[in-house]
Amino acid sequence: MPASSSAARAAVSTLSVDEALERVLSRIAPLEATEVGLLDSLGAVLTEDASADRDVPPFRNSAMDGYAVRGADVQQGGVRLHVVGAVAAGSLPDRAVGQGEAMRIMTGAPMPDGADTVVRVEDTDNGSESVTINVAAPLGIAVRQAGEDLRAGDVVLARGTWLRHADIGVLASIGRAKVNVIRRPNVAVLSTGDELVDVGEQPGPGQIRDANRHALAAAVRASGCAAFELGIARDSASDLRHALGNAAFGDLVVTSGGVSVGDHDHVKPVVDAMGQMDFWSIALRPGRPLAFGELRTKRGAVPIFGLPGNPVSALVTFELFVRPALLKMAGRTKLHRPRVKARLLDRIDKPTGLRMFARGIHDDAAGTVRSTGPQGSGILRSMSLANCLIDLPEATTAAEPGDIVVVLLTDRPEDH
Ligand code: AMP
Ligand code: MG
């Protein structure tokens, strides 16, 4: 090993996973608020209280296709009522309903004055001049009252809400074509390595396909952020510098590879020249080396993660460090995946002194978790098979079948 590598190794601080995450999060702040079109607010965090501009529904209307009647007239089956007209959704009743009368009404149509109950068409003979009510209807049934969903002036979504698709519907119903939210982080993703070719190319001798850039860009999107790809940088300082020059347009940069202490690992020195980068050895398997720092750009400091090149290490460190950072940037307050206990079905060996996140398949109903199989940091399929990470503490040497282990549910949204 060249002398420079031993020197680099000597300077490295070893951190626990929790310490590293704390350091990362302490250097990440939420982005600013911005106004976006309604649909673009999906997955973003609201920066204002959204209140109803009017009652929803705004008027009393029918919940059924049927006949609007006076409830007092239909307290028993077999009554016959005179049909005085019809009203469809989007139009207004042209008269009131009196005693002994009924108006045909469609779902969503405004209730005529005088009527307080709707008999559904299935409970009638569907008559047009007169109608026979076959079944007694409870007073007030099948009528939606004005404001029963939302009341004018009520805050229906509070500032800080993480907007899900149903919330977009609520915002639409209160007339919000534009919404103020935290801006969606835009993340630059870069692969490094002389051995890499892109997915559309045929690998030559000694070459492999670049899996990380695609997986990491996908992980960025799955975190609700936008990803832009910076391609593959070769293992040279100049190529890296050039690629990172374009990173300045992002809110955060994620690279993979080139952060070990090999002869061709240039990420740390290059970032140091363009800003500042810490190199950490994390008591973690997989994902021991991790670099974190910032690039100085005209727009200010841009956080940068240098993830390890091994595909599993890259994705596990993304999950443990980058994803919470992105969520914090996006204004989210819950940054941690659900953690549950489960009974382990297989033996998993691990090195003592390192916390291990083994790839697992969790069965919620059975309360069990099994290993995905081989756990090497190059076995990318282990990530693809997994729905969870099995969190094995530093101090243990192995986990045995029957052990109760803690599992991070990586398919579920953060709950704390
Ligand atoms: P490094 O961290 O650059 O030393 O890379 C560690 C291992 O990960 C090596 O076997 C690399 O070939 C592999 N690797 C690095 N980057 C990628 C990538 N983008 N896609 C797939 N494998 C990679
Ligand atoms: Mg490399």
Side-chain angles (χ1 to χ4, degrees):
M1 181 188 300
S4 61
S5 298
S6 342
R9 184 159 286 172
V12 168
S13 48
T14 296
L15 298 178
S16 72
V17 170
D18 292 341
E19 284 165 342
L21 180 59
E22 209 174 291
R23 286 201 194 184
V24 165
L25 291 178
S26 72
R27 282 155 66 177
I28 297 285
L31 297 180
E32 72 283 358
T34 184
E35 190 184 61
V36 297
L38 178 56
L39 186 54
D40 289 331
S41 72
L42 177 65
V45 169
L46 199 59
T47 55
E48 53 173 333
D49 288 339
S51 42
D53 63 333
R54 62 175 189 168
D55 283 353
V56 178
F59 48 83
R60 227 165 43 104
N61 70 92
S62 177
M64 294 279 180
D65 293 333
Y67 294 83
V69 299
R70 294 182 174 233
D73 287 346
V74 293
Q75 291 313 295
Q76 75 264 340
V79 297
R80 205 156 173 76
L81 302 173
H82 177 53
V83 177
V84 295
V87 60
S91 55
L92 294 175
D94 55 8
R95 53 162 290 171
V97 167
Q99 196 186 344
E101 293 179 341
M103 186 179 287
R104 285 181 78 92
I105 193 165
M106 305 306 140
T107 305
M111 286 291 286
D113 287 342
D116 56 10
T117 300
V118 171
V119 181
R120 50 182 202 148
V121 72
E122 296 90 329
D123 292 339
T124 72
D125 67 353
N126 197 17
S128 42
E129 297 292 308
S130 63
V131 61
T132 303
I133 307 297
N134 296 323
V135 185
L139 195 70
I141 195 92
V143 177
R144 301 166 176 152
Q145 302 302 326
E148 73 173 25
D149 184 3
L150 312 173
R151 280 253 167 240
D154 280 358
V155 172
V156 291
L157 290 166
R159 173 197 177 92
T161 302
W162 172 44
L163 297 172
R164 298 160 310 139
H165 61 264
D167 303 323
I168 304 303
V170 169
L171 289 165
S173 71
I174 62 172
R176 299 303 306 268
K178 303 249 179 204
V179 201
N180 291 303
V181 294
I182 302 272
R183 187 164 64 75
R184 186 185 304 277
N186 191 17
V187 180
V189 183
L190 173 70
S191 287
T192 73
D194 285 340
E195 73 279 34
L196 303 177
V197 301
D198 206 353
V199 56
E201 293 167 43
Q202 200 52 43
Q207 296 185 319
I208 60 167
R209 295 197 176 100
D210 174 8
N212 291 354
R213 191 175 93 242
H214 303 284
L216 290 169
V220 164
R221 281 207 190 167
S223 306
C225 302
F228 68 99
E229 297 181 30
L230 297 179
I232 300 167
R234 299 303 161 197
D235 286 320
S236 77
S238 64
D239 212 31
L240 255 177
R241 229 181 348 259
H242 179 75
L244 289 175
N246 295 322
F249 300 104
D251 299 304
L252 186 138
V253 182
V254 179
T255 70
S256 70
V259 287
S260 303
V261 285
D263 296 345
H264 302 283
D265 294 329
H266 297 290
V267 172
K268 173 167 163 55
V270 166
V271 174
D272 268 335
M274 301 171 76
Q276 172 275 325
M277 202 171 212
D278 291 336
F279 178 56
W280 299 331
S281 170
I282 300 188
L284 167 65
R285 170 156 301 174
R288 190 156 207 179
L290 179 78
F292 177 68
E294 54 194 35
L295 291 172
R296 266 190 311 270
T297 75
K298 289 198 188 86
R299 293 170 47 245
V302 174
I304 177 167
F305 284 91
L307 306 184
N310 280 307
V312 176
S313 309
L315 289 187
V316 168
T317 49
F318 182 96
E319 171 65 33
L320 296 178
F321 304 109
V322 185
R323 184 177 161 101
L326 290 179
L327 298 186
K328 184 171 181 190
M329 259 189 169
R332 301 263 287 272
T333 47
K334 293 179 177 170
L335 306 181
H336 308 286
R337 298 282 198 185
R339 298 170 71 85
V340 296
K341 288 191 173 155
R343 187 165 45 83
L344 183 63
L345 298 178
D346 309 299
R347 181 187 166 89
I348 301 175
D349 288 303
K350 70 174 279 295
T352 321
L354 299 183
R355 186 158 164 193
M356 181 170 177
F357 287 88
R359 277 71 68 208
I361 300 165
H362 176 247
D363 182 335
D364 206 9
T368 57
V369 64
R370 63 193 166 89
S371 163
T372 55
Q375 294 288 319
S377 59
I379 313 281
L380 184 51
R381 195 158 146 71
S382 70
M383 284 302 285
S384 162
L385 290 170
N387 64 5
C388 70
L389 292 172
I390 308 168
D391 182 357
L392 302 171
E394 285 181 20
T396 56
T397 42
E400 306 281 352
D403 282 359
I404 301 299
V405 291
V406 172
V407 157
L408 254 69
L409 301 178
T410 48
D411 275 357
R412 308 254 185 96
E414 284 70 10
D415 69 349
H416 68 291

